[in-house]
Amino acid sequence: MLSKYHWWRDAVIYQVYVRSFLDSTGDGVGDLAGVRAGLPYLKKLGVDGIWLSPFYPSPQHDHGYDVADYCGVDPLFGDLAEFDLLMAAAHRLGIKVLLDIVPNHCSSEHPWFREALDGEPGSPARARFHFADGRGPDGGEPPNNWHAMFGGPAWTRVADGQWYLHMFTPEQPDWNWRTPEVAAEFDRVLRFWLDRGVDGFRIDVAAGLYKHPALPDSDDPEADARTRDSVNPLAWNQPEVHEVWRRWRATCEEYTARDGRERLLVGEVSVPTAREHALYVRPDELHQAFFFDLLGAPWDADAFRKVISEAMQDIAGTGSTVTWVLNNHDQVRTVTRYGEPAPEGSGLGAARARAAALLMLALPGAAYIYQGEELGLPEVVDLPDDVLTDPIFRRTGSRARIRDGCRVPLPWSGQASPFGFTSGVDGVKPWLPQPEYFAEYATDRALADTRSFWHLYRDGLQLRAALPQLGEGTLHWLDTAPGVLAFTRGDGLVCAVNFGTAPTPAPVSGTPLLSSGPCPAGVLPGATAAWWLTDL
């Protein structure tokens, strides 16, 4: 029987970057068995579900986002039997499991792409991708001027002179969703994993599947590829993409009708405005889509209020709920983003990150936590060039947008690397080096210190689950002093954040129910957030 409660509407999901979570085999790379071993830790933290980064067979040119087989497990991470054990263990603990699916592009080693390379121009095998003749007298120029998101041109030439499109790297050819065979193949993939019991999918590059059919030149190709989340209007957000999500939603509803267990579709949707974002979460499309504007907002009360208000108006107005996020595997961690560049992450950046966490957990809708966020991990900014693996660095030679710094393996215990992440037997080291200062952030130390980030997140999640004022619903802004943001949730819960550095009078009297730092009654210190229960 179908439950009237939609679990996903106010769920808190923990993003597991599998290769950096916990290594069970001693090879220096995290794996599915390591995730299974870490489930009790996540249960204790209080999350509702996990999102697993890609673990499919892959040459790992982009750490699994170049998929060679959508229905398998790379031996680096385990096998299907281990996946089934992980699913069963998570469900026993009441933890939902979402998989990361990558429908915009595959690996250049995918069998269909190898078949396309062996095929002739105009063949059905090539129609599954974007192959085109080049420009110029000998076809030696790319078919258009598009730039790849990870640097360089978006086209690579093959032996017979044609070119193929890749909006990220040459090892990640883009699928041609105008070929029906592609849609049918992904129908098969979804059903394969739904039949194994998954609770839903996080969809990579959800706005990018369809390209303009004529593949015309861009007016400003460099701007289109300037940032990871920029938008090329010719290769992004084409209207036909919405039919894909209606089709996938119908598949999920079919499975839900069988057993009453709702399956979730949450999209990585990078579009310019909250209003365009809202089109992806209409009742018959995606259940949710990540709202990145909060992640991208500067530490400023007016900026935060603006993006929150727009999301509540445009996205929640569709009947969906906003999906809030402050960190993920593609972005600089909040402790560093909000503060001084000191790698230890102490001081202002840490205080602001703690305050932002309480703010996010008080907002209506769902929230996603990236692994290590609950430990207060800073960005590792001093990785040497010779250990960097991000294809952005390989493509551009620049460190400006690299993502390795937020992907360094988690510290679990001890005073020196590998900090319990891997066994360290035979000199095996984590796939990215952990700095010495990670000892201060190890989970065993965090759990023992009631003042740690971990306890702040755990307490916030417990209250969020226990208090009817939190979770899904509305908020109402309160009048405050400049630099302070405050709102009410439900019947008498107030959340306030001081974005300044000087103390200010609290918007309500009394001792806070929970605060991100020391917060005496009647005062809201700088870079602090607090929750109160009040009669307002």
Side-chain angles (χ1 to χ4, degrees), residues 17 41 55 106 119 129 154 182 212-213 235 257 265 269 277-278 298 329 381 387 400 432 463 523:
Y17 196 69
Y41 164 80
F55 52 77
C106 65
F129 302 91
V182 173
H212 190 289
L265 297 174
V269 175
H277 180 118
H329 65 295
V381 298
V387 305
L432 280 174
L463 287 171
V523 176

Side-chain angles (χ1 to χ4, degrees), residues 394-407:
R394 297 198 306 269
R395 294 275 290 171
T396 67
S398 170
R399 300 174 64 98
R401 294 162 49 204
I402 60 172
R403 302 161 295 169
D404 286 322
C406 68
R407 299 175 176 185

Side-chain angles (χ1 to χ4, degrees), residues 194-338:
L194 289 169
D195 287 342
R196 298 190 94 91
V198 303
D199 298 287
F201 301 93
R202 177 267 184 185
I203 305 165
D204 189 59
V205 194
L209 275 57
Y210 277 83
K211 280 64 178 175
H212 190 289
L215 300 176
D217 276 347
S218 170
D219 291 336
D220 190 357
E222 293 185 4
D224 293 338
R226 193 165 290 148
T227 68
R228 169 64 176 83
D229 296 317
S230 63
V231 174
N232 177 346
L234 301 172
W236 231 252
N237 201 24
Q238 294 287 301
E240 296 93 334
V241 76
H242 295 281
E243 290 304 316
V244 177
W245 309 135
R246 292 186 180 100
R247 183 168 175 154
W248 286 25
R249 179 67 174 261
T251 299
C252 287
E253 299 292 351
E254 175 190 327
Y255 278 78
T256 297
R258 294 179 188 176
D259 58 16
R261 202 160 54 83
E262 283 194 291
R263 277 67 166 189
L264 169 64
L265 297 174
V266 56
E268 180 195 36
V269 175
S270 301
V271 291
T273 66
R275 184 166 296 178
E276 288 171 282
H277 180 118
L279 297 177
Y280 285 82
V281 292
R282 289 175 288 192
D284 62 343
E285 295 193 37
L286 302 178
H287 297 81
Q288 293 177 321
F290 295 113
F291 185 66
F292 293 124
D293 292 34
L294 190 68
L295 183 156
W299 183 256
D300 175 83
D302 292 338
F304 268 61
R305 178 164 178 163
K306 179 177 184 293
V307 299
I308 293 169
S309 296
E310 288 178 352
M312 293 302 299
Q313 174 181 318
D314 294 326
I315 298 169
T318 66
S320 179
T321 54
V322 184
T323 305
W324 308 101
V325 57
L326 290 170
N327 294 261
N328 65 32
H329 65 295
D330 287 329
Q331 303 294 336
V332 174
R333 290 186 178 273
T334 51
V335 168
T336 302
R337 200 167 74 236
Y338 289 152

